[in-house]
Amino acid sequence: MKVMIFLLVILFVYMFFTYNSFVKKKNKIKQAASGIDVYLTQRFDLIPNLVECVKAYMIHEKELLAEIVKLREQYFMNKNLKQGEMLNSEYNKVIAIAESYPELKSSEQFLNLQKSLTKIENQLQAARRVYNAEVNIYNNSVQMFPSGLLASFFGFKEEEYFEAETQGRNNIEIKY
Amino acid sequence: MRGFNEIYEQIYKESKEELEKLRIKQICKRPLVILAELSCAMLLYYFVCLRQIKLNIPFLLDVFLILFIFFLLFAIESALNSNKNKNYHYNKLFKEKVIKKIVEGYSEKLNYNPNVIDYVDNQEYYNKYVRELVVQGLEKELRRNLMDNDNTKLELHNEILSYFLNSDYAVISRAYSDSEFEEKYYSFYYEDTIYGQLNEGHNFTMTEIKTEKENGNIKGETIGERKKFQGIFVTNQFEHNVNTVIKIRDNFKISLFNNDIKLEMDSSEFEEAFNVYAENKIIAMQLLTSDIIQMLVDFKNETNIVPEITIKNSNLYIRLKTGDLFEPNMFKDSLDYSTLKKYYDTIKFTVELSEKLVDSIVQTEL
């Protein structure tokens, strides 16, 4: 009887620490996600500046410019990271297309904008790596034995990694 | 930059004969000394015995007396030579002809200084008192103590203090304290400095160092010194200021009292061997690119040495626990290929790692 009680106590203590560990890891993922959000927001705050800078030159890309303005509004309403990444991918398309206009490319305003965007993009990449590292640790705990058993008991599920959008991986079509 | 084989061939042609001659001479010297001492002991004994020839001295007592006189001479000779490096000349030649050629052959931008410390008077004073105070940053207390004590020795003390405050020793030991690789150590020694300016125009210094901690007895008294760390210490000073502290340490060392924030990296192989502590996770991730991480992992897998790194403001510090590195082995071929290759590879690794990290810092807009 005493042995049973002792084993139950150990089990309870183990469950206690494991549950807290899951919560801690999940919060770290949220923290990393908010880091990505901060940099995405900084980047998207420059969209109006970009549109203002390029609209006079990129007459044929009006639809694309309108699309990114619309996606920006949606992102700020929902704060959905996946949507944010889609917008980021469209954003990169605009930059790539803008670089094919020589007059625009040499404009000082555009160059300054590009510099700021590159800096934020580097920080964004670092934030994504931090996020993926935290997700990796959390997913290991959820999948491995015996913590995996408790994960399903408490309702903790695997999280998805941050992957580059498929659109972003395709070659960008430049219209002359 | 020249390849190792090319440098090795050049050194072999120029210096092999001279080095081997000196090495053999040094090896033979010791047995000759011992033979001379034994002969002196026997001569002394028989000279004394001639006077005592009528006494019936047993054979075993004969042997005992010879050995006693021999060990007495041996002890006197060892005590007289205790402060001198018996292989001093061979070491000096080896460093001039071999190490210097490897460094200069690897890169024209690098210079080499063996920093062989001449043994001076008051060695005991240096080791026990001044070094500890200078390293711990307590020079003012030293000055105050000196003024209170014997004024006649003040001039000598000031000379010693000046050496430890203004010399290369002071610069390197302060850099080591700043690097936060070790919390406390009792003594600090350095030699074999390689220095120069690398690609980004930053100052590079690579030194072989040794730190010791004191051995205490139950009463808390210091009874000796024990080696704490021996290996390579690299400092890089550059113009950019990262305004943060990033530390990469051996995963094996776990400190319960470490308050630094641990950063999980996105490489499991890297996480198995290294721990990264960073005040700012984003800057750390930006600087530690995948090729730098791979370089550290590859080095660890090849040599089983974990490079430890501290990036602090405008300084980059690297530490490798290589043991005693640029010292020749008296009982091995003076130009042993694998030994010299090890020296070359260590220099190559530290220079390349320094360049990559500083390049990463310069390119990242912080």
Side-chain angles (χ1 to χ4, degrees):
Chain A
M1 185 66 183
K2 279 183 186 174
V3 172
M4 281 283 293
I5 294 169
F6 179 70
L7 285 172
L8 278 168
V9 166
I10 290 180
L11 182 65
F12 177 75
V13 167
Y14 175 72
M15 283 172 73
F16 173 83
F17 281 108
T18 308
Y19 177 82
N20 286 347
S21 156
F22 279 129
V23 168
K24 200 173 166 186
K25 284 167 187 164
K26 207 117 202 247
N27 284 339
K28 278 192 175 178
I29 294 173
K30 284 181 190 167
Q31 190 184 25
S34 74
I36 294 174
D37 175 55
V38 161
Y39 292 114
L40 280 174
T41 305
Q42 276 183 24
R43 208 152 193 254
F44 300 154
D45 279 345
L46 294 172
I47 285 176
N49 298 26
L50 176 70
V51 169
E52 201 53 44
C53 183
V54 306
K55 68 181 182 186
Y57 298 89
M58 292 170 59
I59 302 163
H60 302 293
E61 314 300 336
K62 273 186 187 169
E63 280 174 22
L64 182 59
L65 293 175
E67 179 69 17
I68 65 167
V69 169
K70 187 179 153 194
L71 284 172
R72 177 176 175 263
E73 282 166 16
Q74 280 177 4
Y75 174 75
F76 281 134
M77 268 169 46
N78 304 326
K79 290 284 178 167
N80 183 313
L81 286 184
K82 281 202 168 169
Q83 266 186 346
E85 284 297 311
M86 258 178 67
L87 171 54
N88 201 36
S89 161
E90 295 296 311
Y91 201 165
N92 286 336
K93 267 189 205 168
V94 172
I95 305 288
I97 293 169
E99 284 176 357
S100 66
Y101 290 82
E103 283 177 14
L104 182 57
K105 201 174 165 186
S106 60
S107 129
E108 199 181 318
Q109 189 186 5
F110 182 75
L111 285 170
N112 287 338
L113 198 59
Q114 210 175 18
K115 203 174 165 188
S116 303
L117 290 171
T118 307
K119 181 180 173 182
I120 298 169
E121 182 62 31
N122 288 337
Q123 289 167 330
L124 193 51
Q125 278 181 23
R128 288 190 196 109
R129 284 175 66 196
V130 170
Y131 178 86
N132 283 344
E134 298 295 355
V135 166
N136 186 47
I137 293 164
Y138 171 77
N139 284 351
N140 280 343
S141 302
V142 166
Q143 289 166 9
M144 285 163 74
F145 180 84
S147 55
L149 296 171
L150 288 172
S152 42
F153 177 76
F154 288 127
F156 288 102
K157 291 177 186 168
E158 283 177 39
E159 291 283 336
E160 285 178 15
Y161 290 98
F162 232 104
E163 285 176 6
E165 283 295 322
T166 316
Q167 291 166 321
R169 288 201 195 116
N170 294 340
N171 286 334
I172 294 159
E173 199 183 307
I174 298 171
K175 293 176 193 170
Y176 288 94
Chain B
M1 185 177 118
R2 293 195 289 158
F4 174 69
N5 288 333
E6 201 185 323
I7 298 168
Y8 183 79
E9 273 174 29
Q10 185 196 353
I11 296 171
Y12 197 94
K13 274 183 205 164
E14 290 174 5
S15 315
K16 171 78 174 174
E17 212 179 301
E18 193 183 355
L19 281 164
E20 277 300 294
K21 246 190 215 169
L22 189 56
R23 185 178 75 89
I24 304 293
K25 192 177 162 189
Q26 296 282 160
I27 290 172
C28 293
K29 208 174 163 188
R30 199 74 195 122
L32 284 173
V33 167
I34 291 172
L35 195 63
E37 284 166 349
L38 196 59
S39 310
C40 279
M42 286 172 72
L43 277 169
L44 260 171
Y45 172 69
Y46 283 117
F47 177 70
V48 168
C49 271
L50 279 172
R51 291 173 174 266
Q52 307 291 330
I53 212 157
K54 287 179 184 175
L55 291 173
N56 222 0
I57 303 167
F59 175 69
L60 280 176
L61 191 58
D62 274 353
V63 172
F64 171 76
L65 283 170
I66 291 173
L67 284 172
F68 175 75
I69 297 168
F70 163 71
F71 282 117
L72 189 64
L73 287 169
F74 183 83
I76 294 167
E77 188 259 331
S78 293
L80 285 171
N81 288 329
S82 63
N83 278 343
K84 289 182 192 166
N85 186 339
K86 294 177 181 65
N87 305 322
Y88 176 76
H89 296 290
Y90 177 63
N91 277 4
K92 197 176 170 191
L93 189 68
F94 181 83
K95 290 186 183 199
E96 268 173 29
K97 298 285 181 184
V98 178
I99 307 296
K100 192 168 183 179
K101 289 275 187 257
I102 291 174
V103 170
E104 289 171 357
Y106 173 75
S107 171
E108 289 164 353
K109 295 176 189 173
L110 296 178
N111 303 292
Y112 171 71
N113 183 350
N115 300 113
V116 175
I117 300 169
D118 294 323
Y119 287 88
V120 297
D121 293 333
N122 292 318
Q123 183 77 17
E124 200 181 312
Y125 184 86
Y126 279 160
N127 290 346
K128 285 188 179 170
Y129 194 53
V130 181
R131 272 199 168 109
E132 182 184 358
L133 290 180
V134 172
V135 157
Q136 300 286 344
L138 300 174
E139 305 94 38
K140 283 179 189 170
E141 194 176 315
L142 171 65
R143 284 187 200 275
R144 215 178 301 124
N145 286 342
L146 290 172
M147 292 301 285
D148 291 340
N149 294 335
D150 192 345
N151 284 332
T152 55
K153 287 189 184 171
L154 193 60
E155 206 180 287
L156 174 63
H157 293 164
N158 278 338
E159 199 182 301
I160 297 169
L161 188 63
S162 170
Y163 171 78
F164 284 107
L165 285 177
N166 303 321
S167 61
D168 288 343
Y169 171 88
V171 172
I172 293 169
S173 65
R174 277 209 180 110
Y176 192 71
S177 292
D178 189 47
S179 66
E180 299 181 33
F181 285 128
E182 285 184 72
E183 279 177 13
K184 196 179 174 186
Y185 46 91
Y186 186 68
S187 304
F188 179 90
Y189 304 89
Y190 84 103
E191 59 176 357
D192 296 312
T193 308
I194 298 168
Y195 60 96
Q197 276 209 339
L198 297 184
N199 280 345
E200 299 291 333
H202 76 266
N203 294 321
F204 170 88
T205 310
M206 174 177 160
T207 318
E208 197 187 326
I209 65 164
K210 185 170 82 170
T211 59
E212 289 175 340
K213 65 188 259 186
E214 50 190 341
N215 258 346
N217 59 15
I218 299 167
K219 292 177 192 173
E221 294 159 345
T222 302
I223 54 171
E225 290 173 355
R226 188 160 47 96
K227 188 171 76 179
K228 214 178 165 203
F229 173 84
Q230 189 168 23
I232 296 295
F233 174 60
V234 178
T235 64
N236 292 276
Q237 285 177 312
F238 42 86
E239 283 179 7
H240 289 69
N241 192 333
V242 300
N243 286 319
T244 187
V245 180
I246 300 166
K247 297 180 196 172
I248 300 176
R249 297 288 183 266
D250 189 343
N251 199 358
F252 188 69
K253 290 180 197 165
I254 302 166
S255 172
L256 291 171
F257 304 104
N258 192 352
N259 294 324
D260 297 327
I261 305 163
K262 188 176 179 309
L263 170 64
E264 302 293 339
M265 298 301 290
D266 49 358
S267 162
S268 52
E269 211 183 343
F270 182 82
E271 279 289 314
E272 278 171 21
F274 300 87
N275 278 346
V276 178
Y277 302 96
E279 290 173 349
N280 188 320
K281 285 186 180 184
I282 299 300
I283 293 177
M285 272 295 189
Q286 284 181 274
L287 298 180
L288 300 177
T289 56
S290 51
D291 55 339
I292 289 171
I293 287 172
Q294 194 55 47
M295 195 176 170
L296 293 172
V297 167
D298 289 343
F299 184 80
K300 194 263 167 188
N301 289 339
E302 283 164 17
T303 63
N304 214 28
I305 297 171
V306 175
E308 294 186 308
I309 297 169
T310 302
I311 302 172
K312 194 173 179 181
N313 301 326
S314 299
N315 295 298
L316 163 66
Y317 304 111
I318 303 170
R319 187 176 86 154
L320 304 174
K321 197 170 185 178
T322 56
D324 204 4
L325 196 62
F326 299 119
E327 301 298 323
N329 186 329
M330 289 300 291
F331 301 101
K332 242 179 169 177
D333 181 3
S334 54
L335 297 182
D336 178 53
Y337 185 88
S338 58
T339 307
L340 300 193
K341 182 89 177 29
K342 187 177 153 191
Y343 298 161
Y344 179 88
D345 287 342
T346 306
I347 296 168
K348 185 171 181 248
F349 172 75
T350 52
V351 169
E352 282 180 2
L353 180 62
S354 299
E355 283 179 337
K356 268 200 158 86
L357 276 165
V358 174
D359 193 41
S360 178
I361 290 165
V362 166
Q363 300 234 339
T364 305
E365 293 191 21
L366 299 166

